[in-house]
Amino acid sequence: MNYWLLKSEPDVWSIDQQIKAGKKGAPWDGVRNYQAANNLKSMKKGDHCFFYHSNIGKEVVGIVKVIKEHYLDKTDKTGRFVAVTVQFKSKFSKPVTLENIKKNKDLRDLALIKQSRLSVMPIDDKSWKIINNMSKI
C-alpha cells in the first residue's frame, strides 16, 4: 500500500462533504497540475490518503481510501487529466496543522513543505506514521 496527501479547499470540498458521500465515495477531480495528475495515475485501489484542508485551516483533517483507480476527469474538457474515486475512512479528532508539521524535524523533507502548491503528493511510510501519531496527541 502507498500513502498520499490530497489537498482540498474546505469551502469547495470538505471532509464533512466526503463523509456525506458515503460508501460510494466521490471523485477527486479538478486537478490541473501535471505532477499532481501523475501522482493520481500512480494511485492504486486500497491506497490511503491524508485529507488536507488547504487555504482555510491548513491542516490534515482525516483519511480517505482510493476505491477506483484513475480515469478521465469529467470536469476536464481537454481530456488530458484524470480523477480517482476516494471513500471516507476516518476523521481526526485533533487535526494536524501545517504549523505543527513544519515544527517536526522528521517531516522537513515532506512535499507539503517543499512543494507547497502541489495538490496531490506521495507520503512515505515514516511520515505517514508520524502524522497519524500527531493526530492523537
Side-chain angles (χ1 to χ4, degrees):
M1 177 187 330
N2 292 306
Y3 301 109
W4 307 90
L5 183 140
L6 302 172
K7 287 184 176 181
S8 181
E9 296 175 22
D11 57 340
V12 176
W13 186 255
S14 70
I15 189 79
D16 292 330
Q17 288 169 293
Q18 185 69 51
I19 292 168
K20 288 177 185 164
K23 280 185 78 169
K24 70 178 180 3
W28 201 270
D29 56 15
V31 174
R32 298 296 182 265
N33 170 285
Y34 286 102
Q35 184 178 2
N38 285 335
N39 287 334
L40 287 176
K41 290 176 184 175
S42 296
M43 290 180 174
K44 300 292 180 211
K45 190 174 178 180
D47 284 356
H48 287 177
C49 313
F50 284 131
F51 194 114
Y52 182 88
H53 281 171
S54 62
N55 294 342
I56 304 166
K58 294 185 180 179
E59 57 193 5
V60 179
V61 294
I63 297 172
V64 294
K65 178 173 74 171
V66 177
I67 60 170
K68 184 176 180 186
E69 294 179 16
H70 75 276
Y71 51 90
L72 286 179
D73 182 341
K74 292 179 176 92
T75 69
D76 175 29
K77 304 288 187 245
T78 69
R80 287 185 289 210
F81 292 97
V82 299
V84 297
T85 301
V86 296
Q87 178 186 70
F88 172 76
K89 187 166 172 10
S90 64
K91 183 175 179 179
F92 290 168
S93 55
K94 182 181 183 284
V96 181
T97 66
L98 177 60
E99 181 182 352
N100 285 335
I101 289 170
K102 286 180 175 180
K103 287 179 185 175
N104 189 316
K105 65 178 174 49
D106 292 325
L107 299 174
R108 69 179 167 264
D109 293 326
L110 227 82
L112 182 62
I113 296 167
K114 292 190 167 233
Q115 293 180 280
S116 62
R117 306 258 315 136
L118 190 61
S119 63
V120 179
M121 60 193 71
I123 300 289
D124 63 274
D125 292 354
K126 181 181 173 188
S127 298
W128 180 266
K129 289 175 185 157
I130 291 169
I131 293 171
N132 263 305
N133 287 336
M134 289 171 74
S135 75
K136 295 172 176 75
I137 297 171

